[in-house]
Amino acid sequence: MQSVAAALARLGDLAASPTVSRLANAFAAAGHELALVGGPVRDAFLDRETNDLDFTTDATPDQILAIVKPISDAHWDIGRAFGTIGAKIAGETVEVTTYRTDSYDKTTRKPDVVFGTSLDEDLLRRDFTVNAMALRLPQLTLVDPSGGVDDLLAKVLRTPSSPEISFGDDPLRMMRAVRFTAVLGFSLDAATGEALAQMAESIRMISAERVCEELSKLLRSATPRAGLELMVECGLAALVLPELPALRLEVDEHHHHKDVYQHTLTVVEQAIDYEISRGNLDSPDLIVRLAALFHDVGKPATRRLEPGGVVSFYHHDMVGAKLARKRLRALRFDNDTINAVAVLIELHLRFFGYTEGTWTDSAVRRYVRDAGDQLERLHILTRADVTTRNRRKADRLGFAYDDLERRIAELAEKEQLDAVRPDLDGEAIMGILGISPGRDVGEAYRYLLEQRLDDGPLGVEEATRRLQAWWAGREV
């Protein structure tokens, strides 16, 4: 946390940048107020980098446009109805929004956009005090009507107005509260926490798309665990992500199975660590994190008490994949993300058979084939799924997976394993067998693929011989 003096100095440096100074001077020359607002001001106190430059002004959207046009490389007004004009100035993207004093339709929760004339009034309508600070430009005057600086220093998340009014205006702010506790490492003040629990049900009024966006932002953060735990504690998860609290299975006194809920949160943390340390994916990777979050959601439905008191979860991988598909679809995730997460969940147990005996090359090829373009994510999820405190067991599993990855690399170098295909394509199959396009071609192709997976590259001559023998036997 920066001191107030250090934060103001940092904001002064930002204000002196070509983009901000050019914009501030243009608004001052036009006789209008301008203030840097929200995240950039907050992050100056937290000593965090910020990528957004958001400004607010007493100028109307038409006036904003007239001011930024002469000094911008490009400009756009897609947010004009909400008072926002975007522009690129000195190579940086900025957004400038007219002061607002919105009122909300309590049925649809859509704001009735009303433009205001006061910076203080604009700030007091915002979600949290730490986001309700502004720096007047070019004066470099800090404006903090609701005590955001004090809350930053105390690491407390609080609403500028009463939380009942704030969350009632826009229930999505409850999801934002969850996200900010994780991203900033802050705790909720008592009144905000109580309102969050009492008003959780109102999240049902928010579209799935907006909830999905907030959940995705939470999972992309560096430390989402605290936010996920708060979602469960306050009741939001039961409404938007019920599979997560359902993982809190009763753990018997003899510990016949681990705490699935805590295990899942640990897997999410470890998956993030592997994602970053391996460096083979663009981080943050939402698919890895969703797969880690959902990988065991099939356990509650498949939990069985076996003779001798042992608890089993047979087929929880397949059941979990179906449940994940259903939930992610309800949250309006895109199909590519849904399919990738489902594949990872279906395959996340496959490796554990590797420790029971050395896999054949055929088994390794099938592992790679079934993972497809999700192989690196499967490596991460499988490694992250090891949360045992037994050091010997953890090491054994780690060494086994090291060995599997080594064999995959060796086979890939020798056989181009990342693109396993039969030695004969469809055209060649039709020519050799004298058949037309249809089901028979597909069956022949699959037969040759199985041969390829079992025995590696065959060559055209051997593949042709096997194909003809298979076809002759099939006709009998």
Side-chain angles (χ1 to χ4, degrees):
M1 177 75 69
Q2 296 271 58
S3 67
V4 174
L8 289 175
R10 181 174 173 181
L11 287 169
D13 292 341
L14 179 60
S17 70
T19 299
V20 179
S21 61
R22 188 178 301 178
L23 193 67
N25 291 334
F27 273 81
H32 286 289
E33 298 177 1
L34 184 72
L36 183 68
V37 68
V41 181
R42 177 199 68 217
D43 290 342
F45 285 88
L46 297 175
D47 198 21
R48 287 162 45 101
E49 292 298 322
T50 184
N51 298 316
D52 299 320
L53 288 176
D54 295 326
F55 300 86
T56 188
T57 179
D58 63 341
T60 66
D62 286 343
Q63 291 168 332
I64 296 171
L65 202 54
I67 293 169
V68 302
K69 270 185 178 180
I71 63 170
S72 63
D73 305 316
H75 58 272
W76 50 93
D77 63 354
I78 192 170
R80 190 183 193 128
F82 298 95
T84 301
I85 301 297
K88 179 164 283 190
I89 300 172
E92 291 190 88
T93 298
V94 303
E95 287 191 344
V96 185
T97 302
T98 305
Y99 297 153
R100 283 167 49 177
T101 56
D102 300 347
S103 60
Y104 283 79
D105 178 336
K106 300 301 182 183
T107 302
T108 65
R109 305 295 171 178
K110 292 181 179 179
D112 180 13
V113 177
V114 179
F115 297 140
T117 57
S118 163
L119 175 58
D120 280 19
E121 200 172 43
D122 178 89
L123 293 175
L124 289 172
R125 75 174 178 81
R126 293 175 182 264
D127 54 5
F128 303 106
T129 60
V130 297
N131 296 329
M133 300 182 294
L135 184 73
R136 286 191 183 275
L137 300 168
Q139 302 94 325
L140 301 184
T141 303
L142 182 67
V143 182
D144 180 19
S146 56
V149 171
D150 290 338
D151 288 342
L152 278 172
L153 294 173
K155 296 187 176 182
V156 169
L157 207 60
R158 182 170 58 87
T159 56
S161 58
S162 77
E164 290 80 10
I165 292 174
S166 183
F167 294 158
D169 282 345
D170 185 1
L172 189 66
R173 287 174 174 170
M174 296 187 292
M175 289 290 294
R176 287 172 62 80
V178 165
R179 174 162 64 90
F180 280 122
T181 59
V183 172
L184 302 179
F186 286 11
S187 59
L188 301 182
D189 83 309
T192 304
E194 290 173 9
L196 188 62
Q198 292 169 2
M199 301 178 69
E201 190 73 26
S202 63
I203 197 67
R204 295 186 186 276
M205 304 190 73
I206 300 300
S207 70
E209 289 83 359
R210 294 181 73 200
V211 172
C212 175
E213 183 179 1
E214 279 299 323
L215 178 61
S216 298
K217 287 179 179 179
L218 169 62
L219 289 174
R220 286 191 178 102
S221 70
T223 54
R225 181 170 188 151
L228 294 169
E229 288 177 329
L230 179 57
M231 278 186 70
V232 172
E233 291 165 9
C234 73
L236 277 175
L239 299 164
V240 302
L241 196 66
E243 294 78 10
L244 183 57
L247 293 175
R248 294 185 296 181
L249 301 175
E250 181 180 350
V251 181
D252 62 86
E253 59 181 307
H254 301 294
H255 302 290
H256 288 147
H257 70 85
K258 70 182 83 174
D259 184 330
V260 182
Y261 171 64
Q262 291 298 328
H263 163 74
T264 294
L265 296 177
T266 300
V267 171
V268 172
E269 289 182 314
Q270 294 188 166
I272 292 172
D273 290 341
Y274 279 118
E275 169 196 309
I276 295 170
S277 64
R278 288 171 66 92
N280 295 327
L281 298 173
D282 291 333
S283 187
D285 189 277
L286 184 60
I287 291 173
V288 162
R289 299 174 187 210
L290 284 169
L293 185 64
F294 280 90
H295 81 284
D296 272 350
V297 295
K299 281 191 170 180
T302 58
R303 184 174 184 264
R304 298 288 183 273
L305 185 63
E306 304 292 345
V310 176
V311 175
S312 68
F313 303 98
Y314 293 127
H315 306 303
H316 78 265
D317 46 351
M318 304 308 293
V319 172
K322 291 179 181 178
L323 291 174
R325 280 186 183 278
K326 184 177 180 180
R327 178 56 51 199
L328 295 177
R329 198 173 291 123
L331 286 170
R332 303 294 192 271
F333 279 91
D334 63 274
N335 287 334
D336 287 345
T337 296
I338 294 171
N339 291 335
V341 171
V343 166
L344 291 168
I345 296 172
E346 288 174 4
L347 296 177
H348 83 275
L349 294 180
R350 180 81 64 87
F351 158 74
F352 293 97
Y354 188 83
T355 61
E356 297 170 4
T358 303
W359 280 4
T360 63
D361 285 351
S362 174
V364 174
R365 293 187 193 100
R366 281 180 167 78
Y367 189 77
V368 174
R369 189 271 309 269
D370 291 346
D373 57 5
Q374 301 306 314
L375 183 60
E376 175 59 22
R377 292 185 173 113
L378 183 58
H379 290 334
I380 290 171
L381 178 60
T382 303
R383 288 183 180 275
D385 197 23
V386 179
T387 62
T388 178
R389 294 180 181 177
N390 183 322
R391 189 71 261 163
R392 180 177 293 181
K393 181 178 180 182
D395 288 344
R396 177 172 58 82
L397 291 170
F399 294 148
Y401 209 90
D402 289 343
D403 184 63
L404 176 57
E405 286 204 68
R406 176 189 59 77
R407 291 184 62 196
I408 289 172
E410 289 177 353
L411 282 171
E413 183 177 358
K414 184 167 40 176
E415 304 178 6
Q416 294 185 320
L417 197 57
D418 58 339
V420 173
R421 296 182 178 86
D423 298 82
L424 302 173
D425 62 16
E427 290 290 335
I429 290 170
M430 288 187 287
I432 292 167
L433 300 182
I435 58 177
S436 301
R439 182 179 298 177
D440 288 342
V441 179
E443 288 185 13
Y445 186 92
R446 286 189 289 275
Y447 166 75
L448 288 175
L449 179 58
E450 290 299 317
Q451 296 292 299
R452 169 74 169 79
L453 290 168
D454 283 338
D455 300 327
L458 303 174
V460 172
E461 184 177 341
E462 175 62 15
T464 299
R465 187 191 67 77
R466 294 192 187 190
L467 174 64
Q468 290 172 330
W470 170 81
W471 183 252
R474 181 179 175 279
E475 289 183 320
V476 173

